[in-house]
Amino acid sequence: MKLVFLFLLLSVSNLALAQEKDTLTIHYGTNESSIHKKYYQKLDSFIKTLADSSVESIEIYGYTDHTGSDVYNLNLSNARANKVRLYLLNRIRATINTTCKGMGKVKITSAFYNPSHENWLFRKVELIVISNKKPRQIAPSSDIIRSTIPILADSSSLVIRMGNMKIGESLVLNTINFEPASCIILEESIQPLNELLKVLLEYPTLKIEIQGHTDCTPAFEKAKILSTDRARAIYDFLVGNGINSKQLQYIGYGNSRPIINDMTAEAGLKNRRVELKIIDK
């Protein structure tokens, strides 16, 4: 599991209140609500994090794919979430505020998204532990608004790097680029994409999310569409070269998740990126 730190910059005292979110996602077979045995160890490891006295609350959300009626899926998602909640409560000694809710079908925000290819991703329960940490001093000149993700400079190490990554971890593929304001992949990006093909062929159980990001220049809606188109272009390249679509999902975040909150050329270069997130192994 990966801890993600969000820093709120305070102009008066140069202090930041760091909110820590420890997350875990578990997946299900079609029409199943019981926890698969492979996730018990992950849940037990997740529970160990709850010993921290700074834990404020736990959020548990159940989801389904897009098959079946709305009523059926709402009941199924509730059953999934509640079984996870009962498993946690039977093993947690401390009293922690818990939110548990079935959300029914996963909502699709992109018009380009094809749910039939990614049904296994939608059959899930997401657990989120929210903790409040003590205020910490940050450098006045810091403009980083989220934890820095390792940038992959050498595509030849991609097989090793991704093979060693844990579920939930991400990396930046800074060797994949596009034509300006376009989803056309540049010719020099084909070699790193071929390296990614090798990774997915070597690890057939590996499942990744392809995330598209833009700089802060475009308007939000345009940035969202462009980043989604770019992520889809990589998805299409991989599927077109023999990768099982069940190993992949894609999403565009536009300019909503900058690494550096700035309008400089350097910031734009770092913010215009493709990230790969490990969904399952």
Side-chain angles (χ1 to χ4, degrees):
M1 289 178 285
K2 182 179 179 181
L3 300 180
V4 181
F5 297 90
L6 300 180
F7 299 104
L8 301 179
L9 304 182
L10 304 180
S11 60
V12 177
S13 59
N14 289 328
L15 296 177
L17 179 63
Q19 186 182 68
E20 178 180 312
K21 291 187 178 182
D22 191 6
T23 64
L24 173 67
T25 301
I26 63 177
H27 294 277
Y28 295 80
T30 304
N31 299 323
E32 293 180 355
S33 62
S34 297
I35 303 169
H36 194 279
K37 61 182 181 180
K38 74 176 183 178
Y39 288 111
Y40 285 127
Q41 184 177 356
K42 295 178 181 179
L43 282 169
D44 291 339
S45 298
F46 185 83
I47 290 170
K48 291 179 181 179
T49 66
L50 305 181
D52 189 339
S53 60
S54 66
V55 172
E56 187 176 83
S57 63
I58 307 173
E59 298 176 359
I60 305 170
Y61 300 107
Y63 299 90
T64 70
D65 58 29
H66 287 249
T67 59
S69 67
D70 290 343
V71 173
Y72 175 83
N73 283 298
L74 185 59
N75 290 334
L76 179 59
S77 64
N78 268 310
R80 288 172 175 171
N82 281 313
K83 287 186 178 181
V84 172
R85 178 176 179 271
L86 287 174
Y87 185 85
L88 295 182
L89 291 180
N90 288 333
R91 288 159 179 79
I92 300 173
R93 297 180 180 178
T95 301
I96 301 175
N97 182 35
T98 304
T99 299
C100 181
K101 186 175 182 180
M103 307 299 289
K105 299 177 183 178
V106 169
K107 297 186 186 303
I108 305 300
T109 58
S110 171
F112 302 96
Y113 212 76
N114 188 344
S116 63
H117 291 162
E118 291 84 23
N119 277 343
W120 69 271
L121 290 167
F122 301 151
R123 300 190 293 266
K124 64 183 180 180
V125 167
E126 291 183 347
L127 300 94
I128 306 171
V129 170
I130 300 177
S131 304
N132 282 329
K133 297 298 183 181
K134 294 180 180 179
R136 57 175 293 183
Q137 189 74 31
I138 62 173
S141 61
S142 174
D143 59 358
I144 299 176
I145 65 170
R146 73 188 192 105
S147 58
T148 302
I149 300 172
I151 293 179
L152 185 65
D154 182 5
S155 63
S156 64
S157 67
L158 190 58
V159 174
I160 298 175
R161 297 274 306 263
M162 293 190 69
N164 292 332
M165 288 173 63
K166 299 177 181 179
I167 294 175
E169 290 185 333
S170 302
L171 58 80
V172 175
L173 288 182
N174 64 333
T175 51
I176 295 181
N177 295 294
F178 301 84
E179 295 282 355
S182 169
C183 62
I184 298 175
I185 302 172
L186 293 179
E187 185 176 351
E188 57 264 30
S189 299
I190 299 302
Q191 181 177 349
L193 282 175
N194 285 331
E195 293 294 332
L196 181 55
L197 277 171
K198 292 179 183 178
V199 174
L200 294 169
L201 290 171
E202 184 164 337
Y203 298 95
T205 60
L206 182 66
K207 297 179 176 64
I208 63 171
E209 180 178 76
I210 305 164
Q211 301 177 349
H213 301 267
T214 69
D215 58 30
C216 298
T217 304
F220 176 78
E221 290 301 327
K222 289 184 178 180
K224 177 76 172 177
I225 293 172
L226 177 60
S227 63
T228 301
D229 287 349
R230 287 176 171 176
R232 175 62 189 259
I234 294 174
Y235 172 94
D236 288 342
F237 175 89
L238 296 173
V239 172
N241 282 276
I243 300 301
N244 191 330
S245 62
K246 292 182 179 180
Q247 288 183 256
L248 310 170
Q249 71 177 96
Y250 66 90
I251 189 170
Y253 286 105
N255 50 25
S256 64
R257 295 187 175 187
I259 292 178
I260 298 180
N261 191 21
D262 201 343
M263 298 291 288
T264 64
E266 180 182 1
L269 185 62
K270 291 184 178 180
N271 289 333
R272 290 192 299 271
R273 67 197 188 278
V274 172
E275 293 184 20
L276 300 180
K277 181 178 179 180
I278 305 298
I279 302 298
D280 204 352
K281 301 189 76 171

